[in-house]
Amino acid sequence: VRTGVALSDGARRVATPLTTVTGDATARPGDVAAAVAALVAEHAAALVVVGWPLGLSGREGAAAHTARAFAEALAGRVDVPV
């Protein structure tokens, strides 16, 4: 699984791609979260936005559950809002 990481400008209007973190976010969300947490610290991020992939019906599916697990794992590793 690849997780894209981007940084926004100070006004939070434009996001620019930074890197891709590779890891198994489904089986081990903490591994990917640790890598993203290091980037949060390195770039002094003020907050983290995690995408919420909903199905065409508007309901949460497997991808949304994975995103939630990742966000929870990341929130436990950073001192900024997730």
Side-chain angles (χ1 to χ4, degrees):
V1 174
R2 294 175 304 176
T3 301
V5 178
L7 297 175
S8 75
D9 62 340
R12 298 181 186 162
R13 293 187 182 182
V14 178
T16 304
L18 175 67
T19 190
T20 302
V21 177
T22 304
D24 191 347
T26 303
R28 301 185 62 123
D31 291 350
V32 175
V36 173
L39 292 169
V40 169
E42 178 183 344
H43 294 278
L47 69 100
V48 176
V49 176
V50 176
W52 212 256
L54 298 178
L56 293 176
S57 66
R59 295 189 178 142
E60 291 187 6
H65 294 287
T66 299
R68 182 187 311 274
F70 168 73
E72 290 171 355
L74 183 59
R77 296 175 182 266
V78 297
D79 293 326
V80 299
V82 176

